[in-house]
Amino acid sequence: MADQKEVLKETTLTTGEKVTIYKGKGKHLLKAQMRANEPSEIIWHLMAELVEIDGKKIIMEDLLEMELDKVLQLQSIFTEALGVFLSPAQRQLSV
C-alpha cells in the first residue's frame, strides 16, 4: 500500500502560491536529523520533507534559493503549523 500523506495545513502565500504542509512521521524527523549538519538545520530539512508549493515537492536547495520574503513567510507558516511539536529552542531557531 502506498504511503498516503495526510494534510496538516493548506494556505496561500502572498505570491498566490498554494502551500500544503503534510503531517510528519518519525521517518521524516530522522531523515531531517541525518541530513542536518547542525541542529538549527533540522527545521529546514523538515520543511523540505513536508512542504509542497503549488503541488510540487520542494527540496533544500529550493529553500536556499527562495526569495527572503517568501522563505520567511513559509517558515512562519510551517512553524505555526508544527509549533506545538517543536521544542522552545527549535521554535526560536526557526524564526
Side-chain angles (χ1 to χ4, degrees), residues 7-95:
V7 174
L8 178 64
K9 182 174 185 162
E10 288 183 317
T11 191
T12 305
L13 296 173
T14 56
T15 59
E17 295 165 295
K18 181 183 171 188
V19 173
T20 304
I21 300 172
Y22 294 97
K23 286 188 176 182
K25 296 184 177 192
K27 64 183 177 181
H28 299 114
L29 178 58
L30 183 60
K31 276 186 190 177
Q33 290 171 328
M34 289 171 49
R35 291 180 178 155
N37 293 317
E38 56 185 70
S40 63
E41 292 180 1
I42 293 171
I43 191 79
W44 293 87
H45 288 283
L46 270 176
M47 285 177 26
E49 285 290 322
L50 300 174
V51 173
E52 286 182 358
I53 298 177
D54 284 340
K56 297 177 187 139
K57 182 171 174 27
I58 61 170
I59 59 173
M60 185 66 164
E61 288 75 17
D62 295 331
L63 291 169
L64 296 174
E65 293 300 322
M66 201 175 280
E67 294 293 325
L68 185 58
D69 58 340
K70 182 176 169 181
V71 76
L72 287 172
Q73 185 180 11
L74 181 60
Q75 186 179 37
S76 176
I77 293 165
F78 186 79
T79 303
E80 180 183 304
L82 289 176
V84 84
F85 301 107
L86 301 175
S87 72
Q90 287 172 316
R91 283 195 296 270
Q92 187 173 6
L93 288 171
S94 68
V95 190

